[in-house]
Amino acid sequence: DGADFSQEGPEYVYGHEAVAESLRPSMGVRGVSGQVVTVSGQHFEETSTLSCFFGDETGLRAQYMSSTSVLCSVPVQEAGWMSLSISNNGVDRGVVLPYEYHVRSRVLEVSPSKGSKSGGTLVTFTGSGLTGQTGGVGCVFGGMEVSAISTEETQVVCVAPRA
């Protein structure tokens, strides 16, 4: 039939799909450039097409660290949720993980600003973007973290621990 098949030329190769399992950190600050997220998982391949996909955006070049870890530059976005997935070939996307952009918290006032060394003082932090994140909201006193007892967008109340 005149067909000539040879072993030379481009090939199609089957490989594992990249599997993203966790993100560190799992959130970033809205509108800020230069943020990086570490994606842990399985089957990451050191290729020129290894990519991070945020939502439906075009894939961004990922930095290969190992078969279980890649670094992704986080695109600038507004507050909200976005999906993040990894692709070894720049086309097929693996498992999708949620990534949150939140508003940067700003504390403008702490009241009262002094309390007893025995702890127990109710301390109110007033500012903006204080409850824009998921997970527990808390306060840090001298390196000791405590959970908030009351939260609003502009106020968080915590009980100061014993010094």
Side-chain angles (χ1 to χ4, degrees), residues 34-162:
Q35 299 177 87
V36 176
V37 61
T38 301
V39 181
S40 297
Q42 299 177 44
H43 308 301
F44 301 141
E45 297 175 1
E46 190 171 9
T47 66
S48 62
T49 54
L50 181 63
S51 305
C52 304
F53 285 89
F54 286 82
D56 293 329
E57 301 286 322
T58 302
L60 302 170
R61 177 98 165 92
Q63 182 179 345
Y64 179 85
M65 303 303 287
S66 72
S67 65
T68 60
S69 179
V70 296
L71 297 179
C72 298
S73 294
V74 178
V76 175
Q77 294 287 336
E78 289 303 311
W81 290 93
M82 185 158 273
S83 61
L84 172 58
S85 58
I86 304 297
S87 173
N88 283 324
N89 66 5
V91 177
D92 298 317
R93 301 177 190 195
V95 174
V96 174
L97 296 176
Y99 184 81
E100 181 185 13
Y101 289 89
H102 64 88
V103 176
R104 184 182 301 259
S105 300
R106 262 183 73 176
V107 175
L108 302 172
E109 181 183 353
V110 178
S111 178
S113 60
K114 293 181 184 177
S116 167
K117 286 185 177 188
S118 62
T121 303
L122 289 178
V123 182
T124 302
F125 296 84
T126 305
S128 60
L130 300 180
T131 59
Q133 303 71 270
T134 58
V137 175
C139 306
V140 179
F141 295 87
M144 182 178 285
E145 189 172 333
V146 297
S147 296
I149 60 168
S150 171
T151 61
E152 296 176 20
E153 183 63 26
T154 60
Q155 279 195 338
V156 172
V157 178
C158 292
V159 178
R162 180 181 307 268

